[in-house]
Amino acid sequence: MEDKRPLILVTNDDGITAPGIRTLIKIMNKLGDVVVVAPDSPQSGMGHAITLNDNLYCDPLNVEESANHLEYSCSGTPADCVKIAKQEILKRKPDLCVSGINHGSNASINVIYSGTMSAAVEAGLEGIPAIGFSLLDYSLSADFSACEDFVERIARNVLENKLPPGVVLNVNIPKLKREEIKGIKVCRQAKAHWREEFDKRTNPQGRDYYWLTGTFINEDEGEDTDEWALANNYISLVPIQFDLTAHKAINTINNWNLND
């Protein structure tokens, strides 16, 4: 009996019609049977938010007339998309979940805020091998062609080799021509932060409002980080985990007088 083609769930946070997810769908169709469940509108910066106090809609959608895959437009967050895909839409557990290709970086501390990566983490929580892909280009006219073979190579390796339990991949791709990309580096998340400011403004009705701005500060000089890899023309691949326990702090805190 012939083996089934892998079942691949595709999602994102930029919305189901974003160019990045259209590229990702095209690549994944080479590797398996694709089902798309993605937000009906942009959900960037949503982190791991889920819908609790509103109706959640998930409707079939025909974005590409000649498509041979299924697509669903979801009113919720990226994490909602993965949840409803697994519980209501897919007939079996996916062999892979891919999220993206995001328009903009999710390297370093950005992973905390990322809807793209939260969708991947949600899949990982369900025991589904998962990857989040991001291109360092925020433009809706971004050119994804240079990274297509790298995305396919990484996804194929995850399908063939699986991932360690509790681990998903955060992949960031520099904005370069294909021949300028030196390769893929497996690395750690750089220590960095945003120096944030709120630009205070007043609307025509006289009410004050705030617009968040900020500067990204990389505090890490290591040459084994995602920020170093990207600055040096490599694709960064960071294995991340969703066990947030600070294991090295347990012994220190056990020495506190907590039970006296």
Side-chain angles (χ1 to χ4, degrees):
M1 179 177 174
E2 187 177 346
D3 290 337
K4 289 182 179 178
R5 276 165 58 85
L7 177 60
I8 302 175
L9 172 63
V10 179
T11 190
N12 76 343
D13 75 350
D14 289 314
I16 196 165
T17 61
I21 196 172
R22 306 324 300 178
T23 299
L24 193 55
I25 291 166
K26 178 179 71 173
I27 298 167
M28 293 305 118
N29 271 318
K30 299 178 185 179
L31 303 179
D33 295 331
V34 171
V35 176
V36 181
V37 183
D40 60 10
S41 60
Q43 297 281 331
S44 295
M46 290 298 290
H48 212 105
I50 57 174
T51 301
L52 295 176
N53 298 311
D54 202 356
N55 296 332
L56 193 61
Y57 300 96
C58 195
D59 302 312
L61 192 67
N62 186 14
V63 178
E64 302 173 24
E65 291 293 335
S66 60
N68 59 357
H69 58 268
L70 300 174
E71 297 198 35
Y72 297 84
S73 174
C74 179
S75 64
T77 68
D80 286 330
C81 290
V82 175
K83 286 179 177 293
I84 202 165
K86 182 177 182 295
Q87 298 296 332
E88 297 293 330
I89 294 171
L90 300 176
K91 293 182 171 55
R92 63 182 175 93
K93 183 177 174 181
D95 299 286
L96 176 67
C97 174
V98 290
S99 182
I101 300 171
N102 188 63
H103 294 249
S105 173
N106 279 318
S108 185
I109 196 64
N110 295 306
V111 69
I112 297 294
Y113 308 103
S114 168
T116 299
M117 284 309 300
S118 289
V121 168
E122 180 63 35
L125 287 168
E126 297 284 356
I128 303 165
I131 317 165
F133 291 101
S134 303
L135 176 70
L136 275 62
D137 188 343
Y138 289 91
S139 171
L140 279 177
S141 60
D143 181 7
F144 294 89
S145 61
C147 68
E148 288 185 14
D149 59 331
F150 292 105
V151 170
E152 180 179 348
R153 186 185 312 167
I154 293 168
R156 192 182 297 277
N157 266 276
V158 171
L159 283 169
E160 292 175 355
N161 300 307
K162 309 304 179 187
L163 285 171
V167 170
V168 301
L169 301 184
N170 182 17
V171 177
N172 283 270
I173 303 155
K175 181 185 175 183
L176 296 170
K177 296 177 181 178
R178 171 63 182 84
E179 60 271 18
E180 296 172 330
I181 298 176
K182 294 179 180 178
I184 301 167
K185 270 205 179 298
V186 179
C187 37
R188 64 177 174 85
Q189 176 182 319
K191 182 182 179 183
H193 70 278
W194 283 93
R195 182 181 295 150
E196 295 172 337
E197 297 178 359
F198 284 93
D199 183 5
K200 185 177 180 180
R201 306 177 186 181
T202 304
N203 70 14
Q205 289 74 40
R207 185 177 182 184
D208 291 338
Y209 68 97
Y210 299 87
W211 196 267
L212 178 63
T213 63
T215 303
F216 181 73
I217 307 297
N218 183 8
E219 309 165 53
D220 203 320
E221 297 181 357
E223 296 185 1
D224 59 343
T225 72
D226 48 8
E227 290 295 334
W228 185 94
L230 292 164
N232 287 272
N233 297 356
Y234 289 95
I235 292 172
S236 67
L237 187 157
V238 178
I240 66 169
Q241 61 185 21
F242 39 84
D243 175 2
L244 299 182
T245 307
H247 293 277
K248 61 185 179 183
I250 289 176
N251 287 338
T252 298
I253 295 173
N254 269 330
N255 288 324
W256 296 359
N257 293 321
L258 295 173
N259 294 306
D260 288 351

